[in-house]
Short mmCIF file of all heavy atoms in Angstrom, two decimals:
data_model
loop_
_atom_site.label_atom_id
_atom_site.label_comp_id
_atom_site.label_asym_id
_atom_site.label_seq_id
_atom_site.Cartn_x
_atom_site.Cartn_y
_atom_site.Cartn_z
N LYS R 235 25.57 -5.66 15.34
CA LYS R 235 26.42 -4.48 15.30
C LYS R 235 26.27 -3.82 13.95
O LYS R 235 26.62 -2.64 13.71
CB LYS R 235 27.91 -4.77 15.66
CG LYS R 235 28.66 -5.61 14.59
CD LYS R 235 30.10 -5.82 15.04
CE LYS R 235 30.96 -6.67 14.09
NZ LYS R 235 32.31 -6.72 14.49
N TYR R 236 25.81 -4.59 12.95
CA TYR R 236 25.56 -4.00 11.65
C TYR R 236 24.17 -3.60 11.39
O TYR R 236 23.89 -3.02 10.35
CB TYR R 236 26.03 -4.93 10.57
CG TYR R 236 27.46 -5.32 10.62
CD1 TYR R 236 27.90 -6.66 10.70
CD2 TYR R 236 28.46 -4.40 10.59
CE1 TYR R 236 29.17 -7.06 10.85
CE2 TYR R 236 29.80 -4.73 10.72
CZ TYR R 236 30.18 -6.13 10.75
OH TYR R 236 31.51 -6.45 10.92
N LYS R 237 23.25 -3.85 12.38
CA LYS R 237 21.82 -3.53 12.22
C LYS R 237 21.65 -2.02 12.33
O LYS R 237 22.21 -1.37 13.23
CB LYS R 237 21.00 -4.24 13.25
CG LYS R 237 19.53 -4.33 12.79
CD LYS R 237 18.78 -5.32 13.75
CE LYS R 237 17.36 -5.48 13.35
NZ LYS R 237 16.66 -4.26 13.24
N ILE R 238 20.92 -1.40 11.46
CA ILE R 238 20.74 0.04 11.40
C ILE R 238 19.87 0.55 12.57
O ILE R 238 20.15 1.54 13.24
CB ILE R 238 20.16 0.48 10.05
CG1 ILE R 238 21.15 0.14 8.93
CG2 ILE R 238 19.92 1.96 10.07
CD1 ILE R 238 20.60 0.22 7.52
N GLN R 239 18.80 -0.15 12.86
CA GLN R 239 17.89 0.24 13.93
C GLN R 239 17.87 -0.81 14.98
O GLN R 239 18.10 -2.05 14.77
CB GLN R 239 16.42 0.30 13.40
CG GLN R 239 16.26 1.40 12.37
CD GLN R 239 14.76 1.55 12.03
OE1 GLN R 239 13.95 1.75 12.97
NE2 GLN R 239 14.39 1.67 10.77
N ALA R 240 17.84 -0.42 16.21
CA ALA R 240 17.83 -1.36 17.35
C ALA R 240 16.50 -2.16 17.52
O ALA R 240 16.60 -3.31 17.94
CB ALA R 240 18.10 -0.59 18.66
N LYS R 241 15.46 -1.55 17.05
CA LYS R 241 14.20 -2.28 17.11
C LYS R 241 14.08 -3.40 16.17
O LYS R 241 14.65 -3.41 15.06
CB LYS R 241 13.06 -1.24 16.72
CG LYS R 241 11.63 -1.79 16.75
CD LYS R 241 10.62 -0.79 16.34
CE LYS R 241 9.29 -1.34 16.26
NZ LYS R 241 8.28 -0.41 15.73
N ASN R 242 13.43 -4.48 16.60
CA ASN R 242 13.20 -5.72 15.84
C ASN R 242 11.70 -5.91 15.54
O ASN R 242 10.85 -5.40 16.33
CB ASN R 242 13.63 -7.01 16.52
CG ASN R 242 15.21 -7.04 16.61
OD1 ASN R 242 15.89 -6.58 15.70
ND2 ASN R 242 15.71 -7.60 17.70
N ASN R 243 11.45 -6.56 14.41
CA ASN R 243 10.05 -6.87 14.08
C ASN R 243 9.63 -8.12 14.83
O ASN R 243 10.51 -9.03 15.05
CB ASN R 243 9.88 -7.05 12.59
CG ASN R 243 10.12 -5.82 11.73
OD1 ASN R 243 9.21 -4.97 11.73
ND2 ASN R 243 11.28 -5.58 11.25
N THR R 244 8.39 -8.28 15.17
CA THR R 244 7.95 -9.46 15.81
C THR R 244 7.77 -10.60 14.80
O THR R 244 7.59 -10.34 13.60
CB THR R 244 6.56 -9.23 16.51
OG1 THR R 244 5.61 -8.95 15.51
CG2 THR R 244 6.61 -8.10 17.49
N PRO R 245 7.83 -11.84 15.22
CA PRO R 245 7.69 -12.94 14.29
C PRO R 245 6.26 -12.86 13.68
O PRO R 245 6.17 -13.17 12.38
CB PRO R 245 7.72 -14.14 15.22
CG PRO R 245 8.65 -13.82 16.29
CD PRO R 245 8.34 -12.34 16.52
N ALA R 246 5.32 -12.33 14.35
CA ALA R 246 3.90 -12.21 13.80
C ALA R 246 3.94 -11.23 12.64
O ALA R 246 3.26 -11.46 11.65
CB ALA R 246 2.96 -11.81 14.89
N ALA R 247 4.65 -10.17 12.75
CA ALA R 247 4.76 -9.11 11.78
C ALA R 247 5.47 -9.64 10.56
O ALA R 247 5.06 -9.39 9.37
CB ALA R 247 5.44 -7.84 12.29
N GLN R 248 6.51 -10.47 10.77
CA GLN R 248 7.26 -11.03 9.65
C GLN R 248 6.36 -12.05 8.91
O GLN R 248 6.42 -12.12 7.69
CB GLN R 248 8.54 -11.70 10.11
CG GLN R 248 9.51 -10.73 10.72
CD GLN R 248 10.67 -11.42 11.58
OE1 GLN R 248 10.54 -12.57 11.91
NE2 GLN R 248 11.79 -10.70 11.67
N GLU R 249 5.59 -12.84 9.61
CA GLU R 249 4.85 -13.88 9.00
C GLU R 249 3.67 -13.15 8.28
O GLU R 249 3.20 -13.63 7.16
CB GLU R 249 4.20 -14.76 10.08
CG GLU R 249 5.30 -15.74 10.64
CD GLU R 249 4.95 -16.30 11.93
OE1 GLU R 249 3.84 -16.24 12.32
OE2 GLU R 249 5.78 -16.98 12.62
N LYS R 250 3.09 -12.05 8.74
CA LYS R 250 2.11 -11.35 8.03
C LYS R 250 2.64 -10.88 6.69
O LYS R 250 1.93 -10.92 5.69
CB LYS R 250 1.62 -10.12 8.91
CG LYS R 250 0.68 -9.20 8.21
CD LYS R 250 0.43 -7.91 8.90
CE LYS R 250 -0.37 -6.99 8.13
NZ LYS R 250 -0.52 -5.59 8.83
N CYS R 251 3.85 -10.35 6.67
CA CYS R 251 4.51 -9.83 5.54
C CYS R 251 4.61 -10.94 4.48
O CYS R 251 4.22 -10.78 3.30
CB CYS R 251 5.89 -9.30 5.80
SG CYS R 251 6.82 -8.76 4.38
N ILE R 252 5.12 -12.14 4.85
CA ILE R 252 5.30 -13.28 3.91
C ILE R 252 4.00 -13.71 3.35
O ILE R 252 3.78 -13.99 2.18
CB ILE R 252 6.05 -14.37 4.64
CG1 ILE R 252 7.47 -13.99 5.00
CG2 ILE R 252 6.05 -15.65 3.85
CD1 ILE R 252 8.17 -15.01 5.94
N THR R 253 2.91 -13.81 4.25
CA THR R 253 1.67 -14.27 3.72
C THR R 253 1.02 -13.31 2.76
O THR R 253 0.53 -13.71 1.68
CB THR R 253 0.66 -14.42 4.97
OG1 THR R 253 1.22 -15.29 5.94
CG2 THR R 253 -0.71 -14.88 4.53
N ARG R 254 1.08 -12.06 3.05
CA ARG R 254 0.61 -11.03 2.13
C ARG R 254 1.40 -11.00 0.80
O ARG R 254 0.85 -10.78 -0.27
CB ARG R 254 0.63 -9.65 2.78
CG ARG R 254 -0.19 -8.59 2.19
CD ARG R 254 -1.60 -8.70 2.35
NE ARG R 254 -1.91 -8.58 3.82
CZ ARG R 254 -2.19 -7.44 4.42
NH1 ARG R 254 -2.08 -6.28 3.74
NH2 ARG R 254 -2.58 -7.44 5.67
N LEU R 255 2.69 -11.17 0.88
CA LEU R 255 3.52 -11.24 -0.24
C LEU R 255 3.11 -12.31 -1.24
O LEU R 255 3.01 -12.16 -2.43
CB LEU R 255 4.99 -11.31 0.05
CG LEU R 255 5.70 -10.11 0.59
CD1 LEU R 255 7.09 -10.40 1.07
CD2 LEU R 255 5.82 -9.00 -0.54
N LEU R 256 2.88 -13.57 -0.66
CA LEU R 256 2.52 -14.69 -1.52
C LEU R 256 1.14 -14.42 -2.21
O LEU R 256 0.94 -14.71 -3.34
CB LEU R 256 2.46 -15.95 -0.64
CG LEU R 256 3.83 -16.49 -0.18
CD1 LEU R 256 3.59 -17.62 0.86
CD2 LEU R 256 4.64 -16.93 -1.35
N LEU R 257 0.30 -13.81 -1.42
CA LEU R 257 -0.99 -13.45 -1.97
C LEU R 257 -0.83 -12.43 -3.15
O LEU R 257 -1.48 -12.66 -4.30
CB LEU R 257 -1.95 -12.83 -0.93
CG LEU R 257 -3.33 -12.39 -1.38
CD1 LEU R 257 -4.19 -13.52 -1.86
CD2 LEU R 257 -4.03 -11.60 -0.21
N TYR R 258 -0.06 -11.37 -2.96
CA TYR R 258 0.13 -10.46 -3.96
C TYR R 258 0.85 -10.91 -5.19
O TYR R 258 0.52 -10.69 -6.37
CB TYR R 258 0.95 -9.21 -3.38
CG TYR R 258 0.21 -8.35 -2.44
CD1 TYR R 258 0.92 -7.49 -1.61
CD2 TYR R 258 -1.19 -8.39 -2.33
CE1 TYR R 258 0.27 -6.72 -0.72
CE2 TYR R 258 -1.84 -7.58 -1.44
CZ TYR R 258 -1.09 -6.69 -0.63
OH TYR R 258 -1.76 -5.86 0.25
N HIS R 259 1.89 -11.80 -4.88
CA HIS R 259 2.64 -12.30 -6.04
C HIS R 259 1.80 -13.26 -6.99
O HIS R 259 1.91 -13.20 -8.20
CB HIS R 259 3.88 -13.12 -5.49
CG HIS R 259 4.93 -12.14 -4.97
ND1 HIS R 259 6.10 -12.69 -4.50
CD2 HIS R 259 5.05 -10.83 -4.80
CE1 HIS R 259 6.86 -11.72 -4.05
NE2 HIS R 259 6.23 -10.58 -4.24
N PHE R 260 0.99 -14.11 -6.40
CA PHE R 260 0.20 -15.02 -7.22
C PHE R 260 -1.05 -14.34 -7.79
O PHE R 260 -1.53 -14.79 -8.78
CB PHE R 260 -0.18 -16.21 -6.34
CG PHE R 260 0.85 -17.28 -6.18
CD1 PHE R 260 1.74 -17.27 -5.14
CD2 PHE R 260 1.08 -18.25 -7.25
CE1 PHE R 260 2.76 -18.26 -4.98
CE2 PHE R 260 2.06 -19.14 -7.08
CZ PHE R 260 2.95 -19.20 -6.02
N CYS R 261 -1.61 -13.35 -7.05
CA CYS R 261 -2.80 -12.69 -7.56
C CYS R 261 -2.66 -11.43 -8.29
O CYS R 261 -3.63 -11.00 -8.91
CB CYS R 261 -3.73 -12.46 -6.34
SG CYS R 261 -4.28 -14.06 -5.46
N VAL R 262 -1.47 -10.81 -8.24
CA VAL R 262 -1.17 -9.54 -8.94
C VAL R 262 -0.09 -9.74 -9.87
O VAL R 262 -0.18 -9.49 -11.09
CB VAL R 262 -0.92 -8.43 -7.95
CG1 VAL R 262 -0.61 -7.13 -8.72
CG2 VAL R 262 -2.10 -8.22 -6.98
N ASN R 263 1.08 -10.16 -9.32
CA ASN R 263 2.35 -10.26 -10.21
C ASN R 263 2.24 -11.19 -11.43
O ASN R 263 2.50 -10.94 -12.53
CB ASN R 263 3.58 -10.51 -9.38
CG ASN R 263 3.94 -9.40 -8.38
OD1 ASN R 263 3.19 -8.55 -8.18
ND2 ASN R 263 5.09 -9.56 -7.77
#
């Protein structure tokens, strides 16, 4: 009821985000 959009991200999309973030954090940040 507090979610702004009704649409949800798929688990695959969430996992892609986490994987890419770890790559960026260790290789860029």
Side-chain angles (χ1 to χ4, degrees):
K235 67 178 180 178
Y236 300 123
K237 199 169 186 303
I238 299 169
Q239 297 187 48
K241 180 183 175 183
N242 288 328
N243 292 283
T244 64
Q248 294 169 339
E249 288 160 13
K250 174 192 172 184
C251 176
I252 294 172
T253 303
R254 193 74 62 86
L255 282 169
L256 289 171
L257 178 66
Y258 289 162
H259 286 183
F260 279 95
C261 297
V262 180
N263 292 13

